[in-house]
């Protein structure tokens, strides 16, 4: 079978007891970046064999991994941080296993958008998860689509594009729309700031304030 195992998004304590046990018990761990995952596994004294599985080889190796599982292997997939498949490799392997009738289990655990959404103070009863916007082609169209949604939406954004993103959102949604920038979640310098898009643009115009990993949560259209 295939286990999808969420791993910490910053704080090493954010891994479940079951995740640690399964990572010890499986025959093989597939990791997005084996160097990153080696640090996590060494911290928890897990010496299960590790192989890389990432955006550049997933198309080539998915079928043979599924065949290994059909033949009886139990494999765990982890990404660099958070839940595999959420803006990370995982979908292709899960789909192939489901197609072949191989059992897939995803453990509950860390993912960046849930704490950002829940702590933003913006409505979280209904929401849209967008993940990363396209960098160039199709970006403006996508933002127009998001701006019209009647419920909260969530984006992943890199620090060097945050200001551009906030400006584009303000243009499409209006400067008074509420949003939250959640930075460095679970880490020492965690910061969540909920305000109008206009106020967030002013605050994050200082490049010294834009560091680390970022989730942007935006209120839906009223
Ligand atoms: N699989 C991950 C998950 O479940 O959230 C997402 C991986 S995606 C490649 C990385 C992006 O997630 C970052 O660019 C950032 O937008 C967001 N992210 C990851 N860790 C974060 C953190 N500690 N604080 C804020 N955002 C984070």
């Amino acid at each position: 079978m295939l286990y999808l195992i969420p791993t910490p998004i910053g704080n090493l304590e954010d891994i479940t007891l079951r995740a640690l046990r399964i990572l010890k018990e499986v025959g093989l761990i597939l990791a997005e970046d084996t160097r990153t995952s080696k640090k996590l596994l060494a911290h928890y004294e897990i010496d299960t064999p590790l192989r890389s599985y990432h955006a550049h080889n997933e198309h080539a190796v998915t079928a043979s991994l599924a065949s290994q599982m059909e033949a009886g292997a139990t494999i765990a997939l982890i990404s660099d941080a958070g839940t595999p498949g959420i803006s990370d490799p995982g979908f292709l392997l899960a789909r192939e296993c489901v197609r072949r009738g191989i059992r897939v289990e995803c453990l509950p655990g860390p993912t960046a958008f849930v704490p950002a959404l829940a702590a933003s103070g913006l409505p979280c009863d209904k929401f849209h998860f967008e993940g990363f916007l396209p960098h160039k082609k199709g970006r403006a169209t996508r933002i127009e689509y998001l701006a019209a949604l009647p419920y909260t939406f969530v984006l992943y954004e890199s620090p060097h594009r945050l200001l551009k993103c906030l400006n584009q959102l303000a243009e499409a949604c209006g400067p008074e729309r509420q949003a939250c920038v959640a930075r460095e979640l679970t880490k020492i310098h965690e910061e969540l700031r909920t305000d109008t898009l206009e106020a967030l643009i002013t605050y994050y115009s200082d490049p010294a304030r834009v560091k680390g990993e970022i989730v942007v949560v935006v209120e839906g259209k009223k």
Side-chain angles (χ1 to χ4, degrees), residues 106-172:
C106 180
L107 270 57
T111 191
F113 75 86
V114 173
L117 175 67
S120 68
L122 300 173
C124 54
D125 53 337
K126 282 188 197 67
F127 65 92
H128 167 93
F129 174 70
E130 179 71 7
F132 291 103
L133 288 166
H135 295 174
K136 291 200 176 84
K137 200 168 172 283
R139 186 175 169 99
T141 319
R142 202 63 206 160
I143 289 177
E144 287 299 326
Y145 166 82
L146 294 170
L149 292 176
Y151 35 75
T152 303
F153 59 91
V154 187
L155 302 169
Y156 283 169
E157 192 50 282
S158 73
H160 67 274
R161 261 187 295 270
L162 176 66
L163 199 55
K164 175 182 172 188
C165 176
L166 293 174
N167 274 303
Q168 289 179 310
L169 286 168
E171 208 169 290

Side-chain angles (χ1 to χ4, degrees), residues 3-9 11-20 22-23 40-41 44 76-86 88 105-112:
Y3 283 107
L4 305 173
I5 312 270
T7 54
I9 57 165
N11 187 326
L12 276 184
E13 291 177 6
D14 291 333
I15 188 155
T16 68
L17 298 173
R18 187 151 77 102
L20 293 175
I22 289 168
L23 289 172
L40 175 78
L41 298 174
Y44 287 105
L77 174 65
I78 58 178
S79 66
D80 286 352
T83 301
I86 304 300
D88 265 339
E105 201 175 313
C106 180
L107 270 57
T111 191

